Amino acid sequence: MRVLIVNTSENTGGAAVAANRLKDALNTNGVKAKMLVRDKVSDDITVVGLKESIRNRWNFLWDRFGIFRHLHFSKDHLWEIDTASCGTDITKLREFKEADVIHLAWINQGILSLKGIRQILRSGKPIVWTMHDFWPATGICHYPGECDHLQTHCSNCPLLPGDGSSHDLSYKIWNKKKDLYKDENIYFVACSNWLLKQVKASGLFLGQRMLSIPNPIDTHLYHPMDKAEARLRASLPEDKRLILFVSQKVTDARKGMNYFVKAVEQLVMAHPEMKENTGIALLGGHSEELAGSLPLPVYPLGYINDQRKIVCVYNSADVFVLPSLEDNLPNTIMEAMACGVPCVGFKVGGIPEMIDHQKTGYVAQPKNASDLARGIDWVLHEADAGQLSQSALHKVSVNYSKRVVALKYIEVYNEAIAFRKYKL
């Protein structure tokens, strides 16, 4: 079986990381998988990049400009919206023609347009589409927040400025998607049970095939190691307990940094000694900007591409904290758990599916800095660290290992192929 996974980027963003891991997992479990990306940066022969051209760059710029125009030339929400107005026809590529299954992942920002997706559907090949956020189930947004318009028909989008037109951009793209999905052979896969439940309520998905399969992780790469050695390699202090926060962009409001800061402030008030024996490691872009916002010593690590160094950072931590306000199935929690690090996060999205409360970490009430502080305190001062670590490792091996996830996808591919043959 040959599978072509389509994703905008090779390694930037959580979806790219997950798609790459799935591609590797499939290749080690009997499937010939390749990944087609707009932005290829490595020399990996299983990753195919679109040929550099002025047209590809133009697709991206024109796609962004169209959204910019609908936002009345404001940058607010510019990266929270996608319309898939521009893209490349990939059906003419050799890799597409050779594939038995086309697997769509995160395909926005100029790699595929809705017209391009229609061309893929018309090719007759079975389609599996992994949803890394809500976009396939909404008009234009990736995360709807408190908006429930997706249940009936997107319109009056709160991300768009103006008079709240009932026939705005979200309404128009919704109609195009509804027409696109009609009577087509698509298997939609959510990365978490939470997302599956949410998108099942979408008016776009009536009668569609949907299931939940988590992202995989390479437990040969992400694994426990000696903490002293890890800290030495990560240039982190050996004589402090370390609280770790990781995000591609640590200032991203959706990742909950404001609640993290408040929780740490409460911790320090309750335990003044933490100023001497505890520090905070920040991994991700813009981390240096937050050094003065926290009442503990901060070690900003910036954005790191080297996965082995990232593993050392995780292994340096005593607790990993991710207070996301809205999230699907964060790779970072999975990575921390695979290194045996207990995690603390809010009870939102797929996070409570990953963290078993007071078994592998602590699940705090949403947007509750006091409960977040209580969770960090519990992990650092009360819980059995060794037991938490072992439970986290067991959870990962049973649910997120490459083999476990690959076999689930192979079953979906076989079903999609069989269904296609039946229709013919």
Side-chain angles (χ1 to χ4, degrees), residues 237 239-243 261 263-280 292-299 377 380-381:
D239 59 345
K240 295 182 184 292
R241 289 175 305 184
L242 289 178
I243 302 170
V261 171
V264 173
E265 289 173 348
Q266 292 182 26
L267 275 172
V268 173
M269 287 181 65
H271 303 281
E273 71 278 6
M274 290 182 69
K275 291 184 178 181
E276 303 299 326
N277 61 28
T278 306
I280 295 173
S293 303
L294 291 149
L296 292 175
V298 175
Y299 306 95
D377 186 36
L380 291 177
H381 300 117

Side-chain angles (χ1 to χ4, degrees), residues 194 253-257 259 322-327 346 348-349 351 366-368:
W194 165 78
R254 188 169 60 86
K255 295 299 182 179
M257 175 54 74
Y259 291 92
L322 185 67
S324 290
L325 308 182
E326 198 172 22
D327 229 327
F346 285 142
V348 299
I351 290 174
K367 298 183 179 181
N368 189 325

